[in-house]
Structure formats: structure tokens, C-alpha cells
Amino acid sequence: MIDGRMVREQADLLREGVRRRGSLDKFGSLIDRAEQLDRERRATIQKVEERKAARNTASQEVARKKKAGENADELMASARELGADIARLETELAASQGEFDSILYELPNVTLSEVPEGDASHNTVVSTWGEPRAAGSVKPHWEVAEALGLLDLPRGAKISGSGFIVYRNRGAHLQRALMNFLLDLHTREFGYEETQVPLFVNRDSMTGTGQLPKFEEDMYALRDDAFFAIPTSEVPVTNLFRDEILDGATLPIALTAFSQCFRREAGAAGKDTRGLLRLHQFEKVELVRFTTPEDSPAQLELLTSHAEQALVRLGLPHRRLLLAAGDTGFSNAKTFDLEVFAPGVGTWLEVSSCSSYTDFQARRANIRYRPAPGEKPRHVHTLNGSGLGFPRVVASILEHYQNADSSVTVPEVLRPYFGADVIR
RNA sequence: GGACAGGUGGCCGAGUGGUUGAAGGCACCGGUCUCGAAAACCGGCGUACCGGCAACGGUACCGUGAGUUCGAAUCUCACCCUGUCCGCCA
């Protein structure tokens, strides 16, 4: 969430932030309301604390009198009245504080100044790599996948539903090769610590990274236990340090995790539904970094380059987009999307979204660091990105590396993991 | 799932209704000593919020949330978590 102090001290900056996202209409009045609530709650806090101070003094006086054997009945009676007053004021405070907090949870992060204003049409291509094959020059991946027996879509739908995939034979094997290649790359070459984390997390974790309370309908929830299925391992990995104060000397911290990801994709029904384009469950290797505010711009560049490098090694033509403010996620301050080209589908596919959250998540999740012994804790900056998401990478491989006879050449870096040069 | 034990500051650990934000120790920071270091000694050392230019003052926080009381780390209730044993299952 954004800093509550911004409401008081920099409300204009908040308004400018939502305006750049193109949602001033939506949030402007909320910010007005927050300013009013902030004044109310501070006035009430002063009243409550004043009375509490009086009560504390009275209580101590009661103790002194009783010790001295004096009568304290009168004092106790007046303290009791103070107590009733306090209870009333606290109810009042809880109301304005509660509404104030819920507004803070609703407001999106303020994007960085270099992020272009406006909606997705203002996204800019920062760089491109590789030579995409002509759109339509090869079969879409679902056709070759079926022909090669890599996927079993009907049975995935039978045992779970649409959007759930069964990989078979070389298809399953390719997934495993990709996982091993990516984890080895990020741990051995780029210095990430490998983790394995729970796929079900509690409400506090989902709130910490910003999925809740706003996007609850996008999450799978368990019926009998208070758990949510993770939409990305960003959630458990970032929450690793929730409510902790890290030693500044340990920053930056770089973690990677392979996990299954679960997304309801509510509201996305009918969009990009074919093949591997949009699934309810998919595999992903995630990169997460914790850093200082000063270092976070450089850390975003570094993290993005790691994801890009994975695509370079795989030999997949791709490009980097800087998202415009209006297309930048709720919790993000700046996002680069990496897209690979899928010549069979004929479009660019997002395979990684690398973002700086500045202190937005750290404030929600209460993740801080102590710059040096004896110094005050500060919020860290969190960053993450996919490195990479599997299904669309697989789709791109099946199309980009597709041969005339509908066999598929295995990218060189995967061969040691896959054990064959060609899928036929 | 059942029984018992327990959750206190960065860590260990004392504390069963009243100057306890919390003894003591460790760690950490500053200093004395030393050529330097160690040891020893002295001092400091939580977080958040409210007010204040500041110095500083106030409030809250002893797993979480309610409650009793003039007053709760201490009493009551619910929940969460950890440990041990039993049961069940992989």
C-alpha cells in the first residue's frame, strides 16, 4: 500500500499518480475522503490518548492510596467514567481508522516518473532480440503438440476442466528440462538462492503482496481451510520475510522458485483460450529480489536482464516493453514485459513481467531492513519477475523451432536436460 | 483428531493484578584502558502512532482477538502456532 503519510503530506502526488494511470475519476474522490478521514482520526486519537493518560494517572493514584490504606472509591468511580468515555471514542476511532486503512489498501502504487502516461497503447518497445519467423508460416503449437503427442487436452478437461493441461511423454519431459535449465541458470550463473515454497498460503500473505483484498475473485480458495492457492510463487517467496527486519548487509537478497501457479482468470473467459495461451494452472520459475530504495532501479534492470538472458539462451526471438502507467499492475511502480514471438499463433506472448514494487509490498508485508547496526529500520524495495513462465515458452519453442515435417528441434541449451535433439 | 506443555524485546530468559517497556545475560553501538586487539570497566541500546521546528511529551505493543478490572505480560474465553506423547494416514 502507499504510505498513509502521503495522504496528509503529498496528496497531490497521489492524485498525479492515479491521473497518470488514467484513473483519476475512479480514485480522486477516494483520496479526498482519505484526507478527511485522516483529519478525523488524528483528532480522535488526540482525545483518546489524552483520556488514557488521565486514566493511567488516576490508576496509579489508586494504587498509591490503597497502599497507604486510604479510601480510593471516589477516584475509582471517576476513572470508570473516563473508561466509558474512552470506549466511546475508540469506537469512533476504529470507524475512521478502518475506512482510512481500507482506502489505503485500495489505492494503486505510484508509478515512477519514467513510466509513460496513459493506457496500454502507450506501452513502448524498449528493445528486440532475434529474428521472428513470419506469422502464419508454421502451424500453431496446439496442432504440433497434438500431432507429437505432447499434450492431452481432452483428458485435462475431463479430470479437472478447461484450462488444465495434461503433458505426456516428450511434452512432460520438455517441462522438466525447462525447469532444470532455468533453475540452473538462475542459481549457478546469476546467484539466486533456490527455494521450494508452499502452494497454499494464508490471507495475510495474499494481502502482503497485494493480491488481497482487491483481487480475491482471481484466486482459488480452499473450502474448509483458510488458504488460497498461489497465483505465483512471488507470494510465498516475498512473504518469507514478512514482519521481519533484515540485516542491511545481506541485501540484495535474490531468491528463485519453481512452482505451479493457479489462476481463476475470472473475466478472461474466451480470451486466448487455445492451446497453452491461458491456463488455470501453469508452471513458472520466479525471480524475487529484496533491495534498498537506492539500489532498486539497478536491481530491476538486473532482474529483467536475467529473464531476458533465459530467452537468449533458448534462442527465442523476443522484445522488451516498458508498460505505460495505465497498464502497470496495481502494486507495481514500473514494469517491463518480455514477450516472445509465436509465429504459429502470429502474436507476441508475454512470458515474463519484471516489476519494481518500490516499498508498496514491503509496507503491506512489513518487510524492513536495518541499514547499519544502530540505525532505524527502513522498508525494503521488492522486485520480481518470471524467469520464465512455461506454457508460452513451450508454445514459442513448438512454433519457432518447428520444422517443415512438423518435427521440432530442441533448443540447444535444453538438449543436455532433454536427451534428444529433435522431437518427432 | 486426542492429551499435555509452551508462545515475553535481535537472541536466550525472569516475571501470576499496581511506578514492568518489562530483571538478568548474550549480541550490538560509543567510551576508558592498550602499540593494536582481547579481557575488564563505564554508558547507550525496541517498534509504531499522535502532538511539537526541535528538545521533548503522550499513547499503544509480552502469539492473535474479545472480556473482567480504577488498573492486565499477569485473571477469563475463543482462535492461531510450536513441542512432546497417543491415534490415523502418506
Side-chain angles (χ1 to χ4, degrees), chain A residues 86-221:
Chain A
I86 289 167
R88 181 182 59 76
L89 285 165
E90 281 192 326
T91 307
E92 205 175 289
L93 178 61
S96 42
Q97 185 73 52
E99 193 186 343
F100 182 73
D101 289 344
S102 69
I103 289 176
L104 287 189
Y105 277 112
E106 293 287 317
L107 294 175
N109 201 354
V110 176
T111 52
L112 301 181
S113 58
E114 68 267 30
V115 172
E117 279 185 44
D119 61 17
S121 66
H122 294 88
N123 293 350
T124 56
V125 176
V126 176
S127 61
T128 55
W129 184 96
E131 280 298 318
R133 298 174 70 174
S137 61
V138 296
K139 293 178 186 165
H141 62 274
W142 52 83
E143 287 182 22
V144 271
E146 191 184 0
L148 295 171
L150 308 182
L151 294 178
D152 192 339
L153 265 41
R155 291 197 173 89
K158 176 174 71 178
I159 59 179
S160 294
S162 73
F164 292 90
I165 294 276
V166 175
Y167 293 96
R168 303 188 68 167
N169 287 311
R170 291 305 214 179
H173 198 163
L174 186 60
Q175 294 277 110
R176 180 153 57 91
L178 201 51
M179 174 178 86
N180 287 331
F181 160 68
L182 290 170
L183 286 174
D184 283 348
L185 177 70
H186 295 309
T187 56
R188 293 179 189 168
E189 293 198 39
F190 301 145
Y192 288 79
E193 175 188 332
E194 186 170 344
T195 62
Q196 286 200 21
V197 289
L199 302 183
F200 297 152
V201 299
N202 58 32
R203 180 169 286 273
D204 283 346
S205 294
M206 281 294 196
T207 305
T209 32
Q211 281 74 22
L212 295 181
K214 223 173 166 155
F215 305 107
E216 185 152 0
E217 71 282 2
D218 294 333
M219 309 298 145
Y220 286 105

Side-chain angles (χ1 to χ4, degrees), chain A residues 152-378:
Chain A
D152 192 339
L153 265 41
R155 291 197 173 89
K158 176 174 71 178
I159 59 179
S160 294
S162 73
F164 292 90
I165 294 276
V166 175
Y167 293 96
R168 303 188 68 167
N169 287 311
R170 291 305 214 179
H173 198 163
L174 186 60
Q175 294 277 110
R176 180 153 57 91
L178 201 51
M179 174 178 86
N180 287 331
F181 160 68
L182 290 170
L183 286 174
D184 283 348
L185 177 70
H186 295 309
T187 56
R188 293 179 189 168
E189 293 198 39
F190 301 145
Y192 288 79
E193 175 188 332
E194 186 170 344
T195 62
Q196 286 200 21
V197 289
L199 302 183
F200 297 152
V201 299
N202 58 32
R203 180 169 286 273
D204 283 346
S205 294
M206 281 294 196
T207 305
T209 32
Q211 281 74 22
L212 295 181
K214 223 173 166 155
F215 305 107
E216 185 152 0
E217 71 282 2
D218 294 333
M219 309 298 145
Y220 286 105
L222 301 200
R223 192 194 60 191
D224 292 331
D225 296 285
F227 296 132
F228 296 88
I230 60 170
T232 157
S233 52
E234 159 199 345
V235 176
V237 174
T238 306
N239 276 283
L240 237 34
F241 302 122
R242 174 152 51 83
D243 294 322
E244 292 191 28
I245 300 175
L246 304 167
D247 177 357
T250 64
L251 300 178
I253 294 172
L255 303 175
T256 185
F258 167 86
S259 85
Q260 299 287 344
C261 303
F262 304 92
R263 300 185 179 180
R264 290 189 67 220
E265 299 293 348
K271 264 175 68 181
D272 303 333
T273 47
R274 296 213 65 179
L276 296 171
L277 296 185
R278 188 175 294 275
L279 303 172
H280 288 308
Q281 174 182 337
F282 63 95
E283 305 71 30
K284 185 157 62 66
V285 166
E286 185 73 1
L287 306 174
V288 177
R289 300 181 79 88
F290 301 83
T291 183
T292 63
E294 289 71 24
D295 201 26
S296 87
Q299 292 288 318
L300 176 61
E301 185 51 41
L302 190 63
L303 179 136
T304 308
S305 76
H306 294 153
E308 275 175 332
Q309 193 52 225
L311 290 169
V312 168
R313 302 286 176 99
L314 288 165
L316 294 172
H318 60 276
R319 64 183 189 180
R320 185 205 283 214
L321 260 57
L322 171 60
L323 297 192
D327 202 27
T328 299
F330 172 78
S331 303
N332 305 332
K334 180 180 180 179
T335 298
F336 290 118
D337 269 7
L338 303 184
E339 298 181 332
V340 290
F341 194 70
V345 183
T347 56
W348 295 90
L349 302 175
E350 180 207 317
V351 288
S352 178
S353 203
C354 300
S355 303
S356 169
Y357 293 71
T358 55
D359 59 1
F360 190 88
Q361 286 182 329
R363 182 168 288 110
R364 285 177 163 241
N366 192 27
I367 306 170
R368 292 173 293 172
Y369 74 102
R370 200 179 296 281
E375 287 186 35
K376 286 264 174 206
R378 306 169 70 196

Side-chain angles (χ1 to χ4, degrees), chain A residues 35-111:
Chain A
E35 284 186 281
Q36 185 194 340
L37 286 163
D38 182 54
R39 284 190 294 271
E40 282 178 22
R41 61 174 260 279
R42 281 186 293 139
T44 312
I45 284 171
Q46 284 184 50
K47 285 189 212 161
V48 170
E49 294 193 346
E50 186 183 290
R51 284 162 180 74
K52 281 189 175 174
R55 184 179 64 182
N56 287 346
T57 311
S59 290
Q60 287 185 10
E61 184 63 10
V62 168
R64 194 196 60 74
K65 284 199 174 195
K66 287 201 164 180
K67 212 176 246 175
E70 297 171 28
N71 184 296
D73 289 353
E74 207 171 300
L75 198 52
M76 281 163 62
S78 69
R80 195 174 303 136
E81 274 177 41
L82 266 178
D85 213 15
I86 289 167
R88 181 182 59 76
L89 285 165
E90 281 192 326
T91 307
E92 205 175 289
L93 178 61
S96 42
Q97 185 73 52
E99 193 186 343
F100 182 73
D101 289 344
S102 69
I103 289 176
L104 287 189
Y105 277 112
E106 293 287 317
L107 294 175
N109 201 354
V110 176
T111 52

